[in-house]
Amino acid sequence: MDLQLLIVIIVDGLIYSSYLFMVAVGLTVIFGVQKVLNVTHGSFFAFGAYLAATLIGVWYNAELPAFGGFLMIFLAAAFLGVVFGLVIERGLLRYLYHRDEHIVVLATFAAFLALEDVIILIWATDPYFAYQPMELLGWTDIAGLTFDNYNLSMVGVSMTIALIMWFTLTRTRFGKILLAVIFDREMSQSMGINVNKVFLVTFMIGAFLGALGGAYVAPTISVQPGIGVEVVVLAFAVVVIGGMGSIPGALIGALVVGISRAASVHLLPEVELFVIYAIMAVVLVLRPEGLFAPPQARKI
Amino acid sequence: MTRFMDKTFWGLTIGLVVILVANFLLEDWLRFIGLQSMARGAVALGLLILWRAGLVSFGHALFFGWGAYAVALSQKIGITDALLGIIIGTIASGLLAFALGFLLRRYRAIFFALLNLAFSMILYGVLAKLEVLGSTDGIGVKQPSYFGITPEGANAHITLFCFTAIIVYIVALAVHRYLSSTLGAMTIAVRENEIRLEYLGYSAEKAIHVKYVFSGLLAGFGGAVMALAVGHVDPDSMVYWPNSGDFVFITILSGTGNVAATFIGALAFELIRTFAFDYAPQIWQLLMGGTLLVIVMFLPNGLWSLTEHLGKRRKSAPSPAE
Amino acid sequence: MTFGIKRSGALFAAAALLAGTGLAQAQDKVKMAVPTFLTGAGAPAFGIPAKKGSELIVRGINEGTLPAPYNTPGFAGRMVDAIIYDEAGGGTKQVTELRNKVQKEKVDLVVGYISSGTCSAVTNVAEELKILTIETVCGTPRVFEELDKNPKYVFRTMNHATGNNVSAAHYIAKTRKGQVKGFVGLNQNYAWGQDSWRDFELAMRHLAPEAKPSSKQQFPKIFAGQYGAEISALLRGKEKLVHSSFWGGDLEALIGQGSARGLFHKKDFVLTVGETVAYRLGKKFPQGLMIGARGPYGMYAVDDPNPLNQWFQKEYRKAYGEPPAQPAYQYAQGILAAKYAYDTAAKKAGKFPTTDQVIEALEGATFPTFVGEVKMALSKGHQAVTDDLWGVTVWDEKRGETVLKDVIVFPASCIMPPEGVASIPWLEGGMKGAKC
């Protein structure tokens, strides 16, 4: 295998892994803390993409400073994080925590169905384009091939998210509280931790990350109905491979899938569709709890 | 014998007679909805068995689709008999469930649910890739014959309906019996305290494996009926993950109190969907999702709990785990 | 949000209206069900333009304002009541919906269907229900070659997908003779993408034998949205020609991501349904691409002087503020076919025709359409053939629209298999009987 090919595979793989990580990390955060498999994650992604595309459109139409487009991306995600946190966590999930966890998943599935149509009610079915931030960044030649800087920047954004997460969990008080809640909800409650508040904040962070995934990807795609459905499946696969609820797991899962997919596209494209399923199948059979599953306390 | 002929027995028997008579009077579109309800209801019945053990599968479209494709493929090798086709579809899915059961029986709670989903996605990926099976366009299923006779036109569905109704009746009774038997009662023990059950000398894993195979058989049966009723199988409307969501939806809509409720829930599901689709062509998903949310929030034990409210005062139902 | 609420209010009002007409069941109306994608990924590129085209042509038919020969109001004098509904949800659901529309709402005919998957599922059910069904967009040749070999109630009023890929190969053979050494495919991994590539590759084998297919065909998952690795692989490959049947959001994403990396300067692209997104992307749509419209529709019809076509162009732009793309034409053409059949049958019968008489009138018919004519020539008179056109995109500054240059017309007899021969054997056998 020649060196150029190897470099291209790694670059392509890293870009795709970053995309996967951005798409999956919010899902795993919420699962890790609340033990909720949040199907509305797909809606967060779609809303993020739509709102970012809309705001970017408004921003550039008003001919404001070009780099502000990026500000719009984060603004959209932050706004949605707060709104969905309040609506979905406060308005819905909070009434269901005492119920079976399957019921909670189903409730998020129902909300996801409803939100799919809410998107159509708000934005109708026409696609939205927000290519300006992508044009702004230009391109770079790597190993004789042209890559666009916007997609490369995704690698940086993903790494930043991962670092902030790691720092929060290991170096801050909030991180310690989170770990306590993850390990034993009742016990931490009796120790005086306001679990309700922790849940709300976590959910907002998860929703922010989901929306950020959509918002950051928006300039590279055509934002239109149905984009959330695919994302649920993809995010889910990455999270299962890495280990449900584990942030390093999401990172490793994204890297494994991303690099293997890039390698298959270049070397053996016939198997590309199977790569993600094949990895998932192998992981499921050999290590069903995922590569990095957090330890489970078995209570009697 | 008296224990066998309980309220559920009489309810199901009366139900069977009513729908068999109705079958000849109904308009064809309603009969078709009835057929679909029985097919999806059978899958939900399988989920009910698992549910009693505290397990939920988000991937039973796997067995549904597997059974449906088994019927379609058995026709390709010349098997056109409906009963034979349904048996093949049912057993094919049962075998698949038996094989996967060795892995899945080790998992509980959300992990169990998600592993099922993962396996259904693998099947979806494979089917979408296989051009010999029509890829995403799927393959056609011919009208089956019944012991050598092939009914035409509307008679085809009348016959399939009778046929399915009788099988569903027998299966529902069998499941009802099973759930009230010792082995079936263990399901609740699995949910409540698995370790205690093992100290009593039963193997929780084996009990779960048996249930899993039952649920696979039922889902395969549902898929086989659906394939014959629709006359077509394809991955998007049989195996893709929202289908699995629909089955769980029906289970929740019905409540897990009674096997008969499952079929009422399935019928309600089909009717809601049909009317949502007719009257709100661009926001039917909103109505479906909204309905489900209302049920989850305000009718936690499903539509069946309405009948219990109407009847005598509700006895204290077993509370969910935790 | 108020916007959303208003819209939903309007929808409910529309739904109530529909329910009302359902109850009234006026005898002097023709009820026509029109399935098209109103939600999901198929909606923006296909479903919504198709809906707009249908609404416009039905209005024109009911008001009797179309140019000749369609200038009489209604279908055989009766007003048309179009029930437009969602095609989303897969084959099983569409079979259920078809039954509902026929048996519950008592529609007289169905005109529509975009997805090949839906057509595969509903065709035999339509035959069983004895409902006149005119399939408009779906492309798979299997409908009449495999599933329904003896059609009575089901028709398709445009070329199947084979024709489009054969004419693409012809266009390359004609305009780039000897220049193409190799070619590679980038198609979505589902039935449409797989079929499109197979047809194109087979046709190229005979029409441009010197061009060799790459050993690495790309088949990304449909709706994947991220094509970075595929673009790298194409850029690295030595093949200059790329065949792609991408459509809708996937195509728009590919164009966005590919343009940023110079893909469309470095490679020659054949986009078999590229026309569906070309208007929407405006100036962002790359120049110098070969794009198809599966017949004389949309961008290929824009300057045709036929009065019917001029009416459609003018009224569509007036009503929706955008030019009509191919799905608008293709649905409108299906509805015109129904009008033609009802009117012709009525003339012959001397009164309002029965379904059987309408079918008889449509079987094997040749009727004028927006550009040229449609011949119901194949599959016992149930499968249409039309000419197909290919050209290269160029930006027209004056109009502010993409237009096509170097357009070549391929006659129907050149690109579609002759009666009685299935597509794949025809392609494999070297397209015998084609008259070019």
Side-chain angles (χ1 to χ4, degrees):
Chain A
M1 187 154 76
D2 59 313
L3 187 64
Q4 190 228 15
L5 181 58
L6 187 67
I7 294 172
V8 171
I9 288 176
I10 290 174
V11 175
D12 281 337
L14 280 178
I15 291 174
Y16 194 68
S17 304
S18 318
Y19 166 70
L20 291 175
F21 179 72
M22 286 180 74
V23 160
V25 66
L27 188 71
T28 215
V29 164
I30 292 177
F31 184 84
V33 178
Q34 268 133 309
K35 302 289 176 288
V36 171
L37 178 79
N38 176 33
V39 183
T40 46
H41 189 72
S43 317
F44 299 166
F45 179 90
F47 270 85
Y50 267 104
L51 189 60
T54 311
L55 291 182
I56 288 170
V58 171
W59 184 269
Y60 286 99
N61 280 342
E63 292 177 9
L64 295 162
F67 274 92
F70 288 89
L71 192 70
M72 293 298 109
I73 290 173
F74 289 94
L75 193 70
F79 173 75
L80 290 170
V82 172
V83 169
F84 278 121
L86 291 175
V87 173
I88 305 283
E89 207 278 339
R90 272 285 141 101
L92 177 67
L93 296 183
R94 207 142 71 100
Y95 301 99
L96 299 171
Y97 286 134
H98 65 285
R99 303 269 298 276
D100 239 32
E101 57 193 347
H102 315 115
I103 301 276
V104 185
V105 180
L106 203 70
T108 63
F109 173 64
F112 168 76
L113 284 182
L115 287 172
E116 280 288 284
D117 282 353
V118 171
I119 287 178
I120 290 184
L121 289 178
I122 299 176
W123 282 285
T125 45
D126 282 338
Y128 284 72
F129 304 105
Y131 48 83
Q132 293 91 340
M134 189 164 165
E135 279 190 344
L136 193 63
L137 290 191
W139 46 271
T140 309
D141 276 339
I142 300 173
L145 284 193
T146 308
F147 287 90
D148 64 281
N149 291 340
Y150 190 86
N151 270 309
L152 289 171
S153 78
M154 229 185 271
V155 181
V157 174
S158 289
M159 279 166 59
T160 314
I161 293 174
L163 277 176
I164 293 175
M165 293 261 165
W166 170 80
F167 184 82
T168 313
L169 277 178
T170 55
R171 297 281 188 276
T172 65
R173 190 164 168 272
F174 182 70
K176 293 206 175 83
I177 293 175
L178 266 189
L179 289 179
V181 174
I182 291 169
F183 197 75
D184 196 327
R185 192 188 297 182
E186 283 88 10
M187 190 60 87
S188 24
Q189 199 148 20
S190 60
M191 304 286 277
I193 295 175
N194 185 346
V195 174
N196 276 344
K197 205 169 120 195
V198 172
F199 275 14
L200 179 63
V201 173
T202 323
F203 198 89
M204 282 180 174
I205 294 171
F208 164 76
L209 290 169
L212 183 64
Y216 209 81
V217 168
T220 71
I221 61 171
S222 148
V223 179
Q224 50 173 275
I227 53 175
V229 186
E230 296 303 310
V231 161
V232 180
V233 178
L234 206 57
F236 166 69
V238 170
V239 166
V240 164
I241 290 168
M244 309 261 323
S246 155
I247 289 165
L251 193 61
I252 298 295
L255 277 172
V256 169
V257 174
I259 302 274
S260 337
R261 182 175 172 276
S264 85
V265 165
H266 285 280
L267 302 172
L268 203 61
E270 304 83 56
V271 302
E272 186 267 326
L273 182 73
F274 290 113
V275 165
I276 191 161
Y277 299 122
I279 296 175
M280 198 161 74
V282 170
V283 169
L284 286 179
V285 171
L286 299 180
R287 208 179 144 75
E289 64 279 16
L291 298 174
F292 271 77
Q296 291 282 311
R298 197 178 184 199
K299 283 181 238 168
I300 297 179
Chain B
M1 208 53 201
T2 44
R3 210 183 130 228
F4 177 69
M5 295 211 247
D6 57 6
K7 265 200 317 209
T8 304
F9 169 78
W10 289 113
L12 284 170
T13 310
I14 294 168
L16 175 72
V17 174
V18 169
I19 63 165
L20 282 183
V21 173
N23 180 22
F24 291 95
L25 307 172
L26 287 179
E27 280 205 68
D28 195 51
W29 67 272
L30 257 175
R31 183 181 304 117
F32 188 68
I33 285 181
L35 259 175
Q36 286 195 314
S37 311
M38 288 194 280
R40 290 217 170 82
V43 188
L45 195 59
L47 290 182
L48 170 74
I49 296 178
L50 290 173
W51 193 287
R52 288 279 181 100
L55 295 171
V56 174
S57 160
F58 289 134
H60 258 49
L62 169 68
F63 301 110
F64 184 73
W66 191 267
Y69 268 83
V71 171
L73 293 177
S74 72
Q75 280 198 347
K76 295 243 162 179
I77 55 164
I79 298 169
T80 56
D81 189 78
L83 184 61
L84 216 52
I86 289 176
I87 290 174
I88 289 173
T90 310
I91 292 188
S93 290
L95 288 175
L96 181 64
F98 178 69
L100 293 180
F102 287 103
L103 183 73
L104 284 158
R105 67 186 198 180
R106 285 153 48 198
Y107 295 91
R108 302 291 178 271
I110 200 77
F111 292 96
F112 178 84
L114 295 184
L115 287 191
N116 276 290
L117 174 55
F119 281 113
S120 76
M121 280 166 53
I122 293 173
L123 179 66
Y124 178 81
V126 171
L127 287 175
K129 179 81 187 178
L130 282 181
E131 284 182 60
V132 282
L133 295 185
S135 179
T136 43
D137 282 355
I139 33 180
V141 178
K142 287 190 280 291
Q143 286 295 348
S145 60
Y146 299 84
F147 313 110
I149 303 157
T150 311
E152 292 289 328
N155 285 335
H157 272 162
I158 294 180
T159 319
L160 182 62
F161 189 97
C162 287
F163 201 72
T164 310
I166 292 167
I167 302 179
V168 160
Y169 169 75
I170 297 167
V171 169
L173 273 186
V175 170
H176 176 61
R177 283 288 297 149
Y178 166 76
L179 288 176
S180 41
S181 69
T182 318
L183 193 64
M186 259 165 48
T187 55
I188 295 172
V190 171
R191 188 180 70 194
E192 292 298 328
N193 195 328
E194 194 176 299
I195 291 165
R196 204 177 293 162
L197 178 75
E198 282 180 0
Y199 285 156
L200 290 173
Y202 295 102
S203 160
E205 286 199 3
K206 264 193 199 142
I208 285 173
H209 200 163
V210 170
K211 282 167 220 314
Y212 194 69
V213 173
F214 272 133
S215 75
L217 287 167
L218 280 164
F221 167 74
V225 170
M226 189 62 108
L228 294 176
V230 174
H232 187 261
V233 296
D234 68 272
D236 279 310
S237 52
M238 304 244 165
V239 191
Y240 201 39
W241 68 267
N243 293 292
S244 296
D246 288 347
F247 297 135
V248 185
F249 188 155
I250 292 172
T251 315
I252 302 234
L253 189 64
S254 321
T256 55
N258 193 293
V259 292
T262 309
F263 293 94
I264 297 168
L267 182 63
F269 172 82
E270 298 292 343
L271 288 176
I272 296 170
R273 182 146 84 172
T274 299
F275 285 100
F277 210 76
D278 274 359
Y279 294 121
Q282 228 172 1
I283 53 162
W284 58 275
Q285 292 195 96
L286 184 63
L287 296 185
M288 293 300 285
T291 312
L292 183 52
L293 278 180
V294 168
I295 300 268
V296 166
M297 300 287 278
F298 302 109
L299 271 182
N301 294 316
L303 292 177
W304 190 251
S305 59
L306 284 178
T307 64
E308 286 172 355
H309 281 300
L310 290 176
K312 55 186 178 227
R313 185 147 308 184
R314 209 155 55 120
K315 285 178 221 148
S316 61
S319 62
E322 257 187 297
Chain C
M1 273 320 273
T2 48
F3 176 54
I5 289 159
K6 251 198 290 199
R7 268 178 59 91
S8 71
L11 262 171
F12 277 120
L17 212 71
L18 266 178
T21 52
L23 289 174
Q25 271 267 356
Q27 268 307 308
D28 55 347
K29 279 201 166 183
V30 179
K31 280 184 101 172
M32 175 173 73
V34 183
T36 172
F37 284 107
L38 301 180
T39 64
F46 283 96
I48 301 301
K51 172 175 177 272
K52 289 174 177 168
S54 308
E55 282 169 348
L56 180 66
I57 202 83
V58 167
R59 202 183 71 206
I61 287 172
N62 282 341
E63 290 170 356
T65 47
L66 295 188
Y70 298 107
N71 50 354
T72 53
F75 284 2
R78 291 193 184 170
M79 292 297 107
V80 182
D81 183 6
I83 303 169
I84 296 174
Y85 70 95
D86 195 1
E87 194 187 324
T92 308
K93 180 123 139 294
Q94 287 308 314
V95 168
T96 316
E97 268 323 294
L98 178 62
R99 285 180 186 279
N100 287 343
K101 290 291 174 281
V102 174
Q103 293 166 340
K104 187 150 74 74
E105 311 220 359
K106 315 266 187 247
V107 299
D108 300 292
L109 77 161
V110 180
V111 182
Y113 294 124
I114 289 165
S115 146
S116 289
T118 326
C119 282
S120 306
V122 298
T123 295
N124 280 316
V125 180
E127 293 286 351
E128 181 206 318
L129 295 174
K130 304 193 191 312
I131 179 80
L132 171 59
T133 302
I134 298 176
E135 297 178 344
T136 43
V137 174
C138 59
T140 178
R142 290 169 66 236
V143 169
F144 296 122
E145 289 178 2
E146 229 177 85
L147 297 165
D148 186 13
K149 289 184 184 156
N150 259 318
K152 163 132 201 242
Y153 293 92
V154 181
F155 293 83
R156 175 159 52 193
T157 48
M158 67 178 288
N159 289 349
H160 55 58
T162 302
N164 188 225
N165 287 291
V166 172
S167 53
H170 272 296
Y171 189 75
I172 289 154
K174 267 212 170 121
T175 57
R176 288 160 171 71
K177 193 148 191 65
Q179 296 167 26
V180 181
K181 299 279 175 296
F183 60 103
V184 61
L186 172 66
N187 292 285
Q188 293 145 317
N189 208 336
Y190 79 120
W192 165 259
Q194 293 154 358
D195 292 352
S196 296
W197 168 251
R198 185 200 56 219
D199 291 351
F200 180 73
E201 207 248 73
L202 284 172
M204 284 293 280
R205 219 182 269 179
H206 297 287
L207 298 173
E210 73 285 357
K212 297 284 172 261
S214 158
S215 60
K216 286 176 188 162
Q217 306 308 330
Q218 299 294 343
F219 280 103
K221 185 176 164 2
I222 184 171
F223 308 141
Q226 296 294 315
Y227 303 103
E230 281 83 0
I231 292 170
S232 295
L234 293 180
L235 287 171
R236 281 192 81 245
K238 57 186 186 311
E239 295 81 12
K240 182 108 168 67
L241 183 71
V242 184
H243 168 272
S244 177
S245 58
F246 268 39
W247 53 268
D250 282 4
L251 181 53
E252 286 158 353
L254 175 72
I255 288 172
Q257 293 162 25
S259 299
R261 301 176 61 183
L263 179 66
F264 299 99
H265 292 298
K266 291 173 187 151
K267 300 285 168 181
D268 273 346
F269 265 80
V270 187
L271 298 175
T272 60
V273 280
E275 193 269 346
T276 51
V277 310
Y279 279 131
R280 257 194 347 229
L281 286 177
K283 222 174 174 172
K284 294 271 144 209
F285 195 86
Q287 304 197 22
L289 265 52
M290 292 168 261
I291 63 169
R294 295 185 59 203
Y297 314 112
M299 210 170 266
Y300 284 99
V302 70
D303 285 331
D304 192 275
N306 182 356
L308 186 60
N309 181 55
Q310 286 306 314
W311 179 88
F312 194 66
Q313 283 280 342
K314 199 174 122 239
E315 294 296 318
Y316 194 99
R317 285 167 192 260
K318 202 166 85 191
Y320 307 113
E322 63 191 26
Q326 49 170 309
Y329 269 91
Q330 289 154 358
Y331 263 61
Q333 177 165 296
I335 295 170
L336 280 185
K339 174 163 173 60
Y340 169 83
Y342 270 91
D343 290 355
T344 312
K347 208 174 285 167
K348 195 174 160 205
K351 57 179 178 13
F352 191 78
T354 63
T355 300
D356 279 358
Q357 288 167 332
V358 175
I359 286 170
E360 201 191 309
L362 191 53
E363 252 174 12
T366 298
F367 58 92
T369 178
F370 301 101
V371 176
E373 56 191 16
V374 177
K375 291 196 196 79
M376 303 301 293
L378 303 183
S379 303
K380 304 187 163 61
H382 286 249
Q383 166 67 53
V385 298
T386 68
D387 297 346
D388 196 5
L389 298 86
W390 276 86
V392 171
T393 54
V394 59
W395 178 253
D396 184 333
E397 194 60 60
K398 210 161 74 220
R399 290 193 204 205
E401 270 174 33
T402 297
V403 294
L404 294 152
K405 59 167 190 183
D406 306 336
V407 174
I408 299 180
V409 183
F410 299 95
S413 58
C414 170
I415 56 169
M416 294 284 280
E419 171 71 338
V421 184
S423 308
I424 298 177
W426 179 65
L427 287 169
E428 281 171 341
M431 294 176 279
K432 290 202 181 66
K435 292 193 251 329
C436 295

